[in-house]
């Protein structure tokens, strides 16, 4: 969808036609005709009052038939609205082409005279409420209108508080008188879903998306019962299948329901990656996930059956050989879109003829590219060829209006957009009576089932889909679009980091644990559905994630180490912020050869931890200052992180001094003990001698 197409939306016109104090959004469409409106806003951005006029069936009416218009006044102001009057007029000169339609909807500029086809009085409306009434438009009023797109003009008067000073508010709209000879219409509906982490959808995300009120469930509800063609992102299916037995029940039910739908379908690129950007970036093959194996948990898959011996009549056959372990699906099985038509690509509109040749080299000569009519000349939609290559051209203007309608939850506003789409399709069909027309909804992951269903039903030709549009006679066209060099350069830049990450990942037992999610993140950042700020943010996120990964394993800064002995084990910290264990080598190189280091040391650092690695060292010098140069590397020798330098203060003489002091203390203590023992023994001997002398004296006295 181009920017100019988007500017034709209802809200853009509401602000362009602002005047007065009352907002008129006049809609004459399928259930609400027309898409122009006049707006008078309050101090905020929202209009104070809106008048919605709907007539016919989604902006169309059969020639010469009566129809009913529905008039809705919505009062968003703080004051009560008085009664007013709505008058609807139609121009008798049809709008002949897209330029005339744009002039009328944007600038209220249309040729010819206008006739009043109905009017009605509006009831008073209280603040923050709405009032609806009906208006019959007789058949004779429209009897002279031949098939075509006619300008409608609606005006609201007298609903302001001071009606005497209020000027009528005029709004532009359209009424499509249907043509029985108009060709069938096919509609493409993309089914995408973006995970928060840029890789695959988690079990929690799948549970939310596939719940009864989930966005993916809304898509299936919206397409059910229609002939819409489904363009499916295989990453959604892979996200469910890699979970095996752990997949949420709502997600597996959703997948079974998708497979059971009879709608024709084709697969988008994985993650809806833009194949045009890949071509313009000079890639020789399309981007694919490197492998989905790291996302598989063998415990969630059934074990292969045991294999019997070749001859069951032999005795060993009574004991089957062991099973081969869990049967894990390969990438093709994980991403398969059952029943998909092969060879369809749906890139962004910035495609040049050289890209079509590249697509044929990527996917085969029969590749069919889906492009908007804004990228071509001489084709407004359907099957065409460009320089011998098949293309399916979507009506860009109608696709834009329908995409906005499918994303509009307000029923009345949605009818306005459906009427605009009917006008674009009517003008497309007039270029080649009976020729099929193709429309494609934009990528959007927030649509409600009701809005999507009504939008598809507004244009869908039951029984006509992809096979019908492919079988239609092709017309020759040329491309007018320009290559998007900025996106190509961004993709080249993102892919340039992959070899660096590949070297870094040699620390892992399985490098694909890092490389596979990274490739998917890059593919999602180049998604077709991303535009503007969302695209810039996605590309920036890839760069930020790469930088964070390369900085996730390193040696934290350390303070000066005091080495007080000649031989010691010095501990150095290694940080691992990755979610996987890493195998590293720590090399330590001293600045002075008088310090010997046992290096390198190998270790495994667990995820989210900081581990100390002990490095044996021997000092040949008693005292001094030196530096140790620390460097991490992978087992294959790839340098990891930055070099860190640690200051070491060697004080090995303190070990000798300590030993001498300790020895002296021991000698002193031993000497003191010896002296104490000698003194004690002398005292004991003296005491013994004194006792003997006393005994002799006592004996002599007794005798």
């Amino acid at each position: 969808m181009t920017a100019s197409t988007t500017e034709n939306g209802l809200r853009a016109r509401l602000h362009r036609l602002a005047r007065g104090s009352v907002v008129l959004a006049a809609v004459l469409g399928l259930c609400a005709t027309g898409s122009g409106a006049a707006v008078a806003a309050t101090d905020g951005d929202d209009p104070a009052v809106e008048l919605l006029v709907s007539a016919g069936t989604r902006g169309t009416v059969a020639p010469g038939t009566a129809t009913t218009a529905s008039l809705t006044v919505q009062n968003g102001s703080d004051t009560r609205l008085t009664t007013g009057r709505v008058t609807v007029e139609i121009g008798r000169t049809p709008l002949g082409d897209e330029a005339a339609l744009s002039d009328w909807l944007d600038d209220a500029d249309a040729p010819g005279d206008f006739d009043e086809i109905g009017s009605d009085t509006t009831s008073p409306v209280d603040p923050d409420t709405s009032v609806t009434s009906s208006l019959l438009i007789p058949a004779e009023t429209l009897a002279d209108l031949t098939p075509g797109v006619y300008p409608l003009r609606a005006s609201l008067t007298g609903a302001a508080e001071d009606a005497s000073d209020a000027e009528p508010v005029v709004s532009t709209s359209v009424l499509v008188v249907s043509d029985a000879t108009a060709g069938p219409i096919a509609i493409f509906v993309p089914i995408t879903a973006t995970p928060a982490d840029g890789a695959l959808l988690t079990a929690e995300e799948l549970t939310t998306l596939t719940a009864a009120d989930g966005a993916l469930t809304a898509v299936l509800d919206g397409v059910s019962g229609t002939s819409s063609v489904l363009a499916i992102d295989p990453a959604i299916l892979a996200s469910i299948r890699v979970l095996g037995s752990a997949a949420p029940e709502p997600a597996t039910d959703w997948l079974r329901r998708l497979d059971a739908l009879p709608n024709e379908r084709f697969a988008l690129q994985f993650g809806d990656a833009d194949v045009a950007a890949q071509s313009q970036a000079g890639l020789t093959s399309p981007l694919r996930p490197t492998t989905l194996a790291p996302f598989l948990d063998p415990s969630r898959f059934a074990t292969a059956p045991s294999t019997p011996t070749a001859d069951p009549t032999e005795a060993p056959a009574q004991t089957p050989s062991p099973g081969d372990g869990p049967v894990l699906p390969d990438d093709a099985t994980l991403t398969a879109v059952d029943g998909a038509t092969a060879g369809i690509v749906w890139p962004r509109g910035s495609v040049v003829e050289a890209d079509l040749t590249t697509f044929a080299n990527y996917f085969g000569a029969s590749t069919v590219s889906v492009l908007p009519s804004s990228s071509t000349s001489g084709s407004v939609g359907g099957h065409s060829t460009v320089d011998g290559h098949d293309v399916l051209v979507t009506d860009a203007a109608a696709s834009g209006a329908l995409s906005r309608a499918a994303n509009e939850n307000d029923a009345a506003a949605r009818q306005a957009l459906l009427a605009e789409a009917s006008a674009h399709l009517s003008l497309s069909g007039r270029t080649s009576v009976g020729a099929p027309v193709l429309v494609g909804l934009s990528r959007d992951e927030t649509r409600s089932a009701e809005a999507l269903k009504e939008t598809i039903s507004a244009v869908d030709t039951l029984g006509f889909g992809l096979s019908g549009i492919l079988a239609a006679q092709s017309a020759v066209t040329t491309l007018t679009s320009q290559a998007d060099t900025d996106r190509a350069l961004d993709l080249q830049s993102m892919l340039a980091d992959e070899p660096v990450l590949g070297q870094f990942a040699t620390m892992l037992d399985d490098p694909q644990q890092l490389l596979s999610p990274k490739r998917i993140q890059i593919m999602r950042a180049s998604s077709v559905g991303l535009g503007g700020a969302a695209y810039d943010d996605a590309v920036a996120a890839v760069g930020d994630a790469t930088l964070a990964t390369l900085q996730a394993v390193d040696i934290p800064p350390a303070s000066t180490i005091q080495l007080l002995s000649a031989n010691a084990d010095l501990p150095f910290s290694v940080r691992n912020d990755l979610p996987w264990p890493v195998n590293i080598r720590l090399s330590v190189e001293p600045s002075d050869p008088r310090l010997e280091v046992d290096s390198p040391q190998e270790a495994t650092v667990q995820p989210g931890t900081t581990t100390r690695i002990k490095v044996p060292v021997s000092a040949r010098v008693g005292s001094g200052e030196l530096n140790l140069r620390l460097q991490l590397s992978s087992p294959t020798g790839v340098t990891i992180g930055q070099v860190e330098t640690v200051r070491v203060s060697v004080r090995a003489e303190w070990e000798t001094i300590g030993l001498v002091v300790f020895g002296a203390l021991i000698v002193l203590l031993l000497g003191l003990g010896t002296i104490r023992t000698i003194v004690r023994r002398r005292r004991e001997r003296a005491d013994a001698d004194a006792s003997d002398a006393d005994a002799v004296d006592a004996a002599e006295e007794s005798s």
Side-chain angles (χ1 to χ4, degrees), residues 124 238 346 366 373 504 644:
W346 193 358
S366 60
S373 59
F504 180 84
E644 289 291 336

Side-chain angles (χ1 to χ4, degrees), residues 425-495:
L425 289 171
S426 177
L427 294 173
S428 297
R430 290 170 64 83
T431 62
S432 180
V433 176
V437 177
L438 174 64
V439 294
L441 298 185
S442 64
R443 275 70 163 176
D444 192 300
E445 300 171 8
T446 61
R447 289 171 175 144
S448 68
E450 178 184 2
L452 182 59
K453 171 82 78 175
E454 186 173 9
T455 298
I456 295 173
S457 301
V459 298
D460 184 36
T461 300
L462 291 178
F464 186 77
L466 180 59
S467 56
I469 203 76
L470 287 172
Q473 184 176 359
S474 62
V476 178
T477 188
T478 58
L479 296 182
T480 59
S481 51
Q482 301 294 320
D484 192 334
T485 55
D486 289 341
R487 287 205 173 214
L489 291 173
D490 288 338
L491 182 57
Q492 289 174 339
S493 177
M494 291 187 289
L495 292 174

Side-chain angles (χ1 to χ4, degrees), residues 243-246 297-305 323-329:
L243 296 175
S245 61
D297 183 346
S299 66
R300 298 171 175 174
F301 294 86
T303 302
D324 298 326
V327 179
L328 301 180

